[in-house]
Amino acid sequence: MKRLAGFGSALLLAGAFMLPSSAAAQSYDTNVGCGLGNMLFKEIGQDKTLFQILAVTTNGFFFNQTFGITSGTLGCAQPSMIVENEKVLRFVADNMDTLAQDIAVGNGEALSTLAELMEIPAEQRPVFFSKLQENFNGIYSSSAVESADVIEGIYKIASNS
């Protein structure tokens, strides 16, 4: 009897992952992001949580989003401005949430690291931080913003400083 109950629970759990969900379908690109996993599972898995998890796992396992962003492949958007510093691309892609929090408050470790990677002189950093804070809503324009858009927004602000 325990085996039957365990088997039924496993089927119920598998079914929950396989059932389509309209909310999941709408948030596929937000949840998965660009990359190899997106390319592999987008056609079959937009409305299934299991395939979104597989897509994210594939992206994480192969570390291909940075390559996609820099090359503009794998469904990723390449920043229109030329970003010569690979470290900036990688840092922003890996620290989107922390960087957003630091920009929102106008200081923080992630923001200082970004300024250092962008080679902003120390005496100009308070003004740079302030301008980023003032333009937070333009840099992080939505919850689905991608790192390429964030980098482009930051470089536009930095070039106008």
Side-chain angles (χ1 to χ4, degrees):
M1 187 66 166
K2 284 185 179 181
R3 283 186 176 183
L4 187 57
F7 181 71
S9 296
L11 278 177
L12 185 62
L13 183 61
F17 279 113
M18 299 300 289
L19 287 174
S21 165
S22 62
Q26 293 172 353
S27 61
Y28 179 83
D29 288 331
T30 302
N31 292 344
V32 174
C34 63
L36 182 61
N38 183 353
M39 303 299 287
L40 290 174
F41 297 104
K42 188 169 187 166
E43 293 298 319
I44 60 173
Q46 284 197 17
D47 58 348
K48 295 180 177 60
T49 303
L50 177 63
F51 289 112
Q52 288 186 22
I53 292 169
L54 289 173
V56 169
T57 304
T58 302
N59 285 342
F61 184 75
F62 289 105
F63 300 106
N64 56 62
Q65 286 182 315
T66 302
F67 170 76
I69 292 168
T70 56
S71 64
T73 59
L74 302 174
C76 299
Q78 186 180 31
S80 62
M81 298 178 67
I82 298 172
V83 178
E84 297 175 1
N85 192 339
E86 175 70 24
K87 290 180 182 177
V88 172
L89 290 171
R90 183 167 299 173
F91 178 77
V92 171
D94 292 344
N95 296 287
M96 289 281 286
D97 293 337
T98 305
L99 189 59
Q101 292 171 357
D102 285 1
I103 290 174
V105 297
N107 64 47
E109 187 175 332
L111 194 53
S112 295
T113 302
L114 176 67
E116 201 167 301
L117 291 173
M118 292 178 66
E119 300 176 353
I120 305 288
E123 65 275 4
Q124 294 178 5
R125 290 181 186 175
V127 172
F128 176 64
F129 295 166
S130 177
K131 287 193 174 196
L132 290 180
Q133 185 180 21
E134 290 171 12
N135 294 289
F136 176 82
N137 291 332
I139 297 168
Y140 284 89
S141 56
S142 74
S143 61
V145 69
E146 294 188 13
S147 60
D149 300 322
V150 171
I151 292 167
E152 188 171 328
I154 290 171
Y155 270 91
K156 281 182 183 174
I157 292 166
S159 65
N160 292 331
S161 295

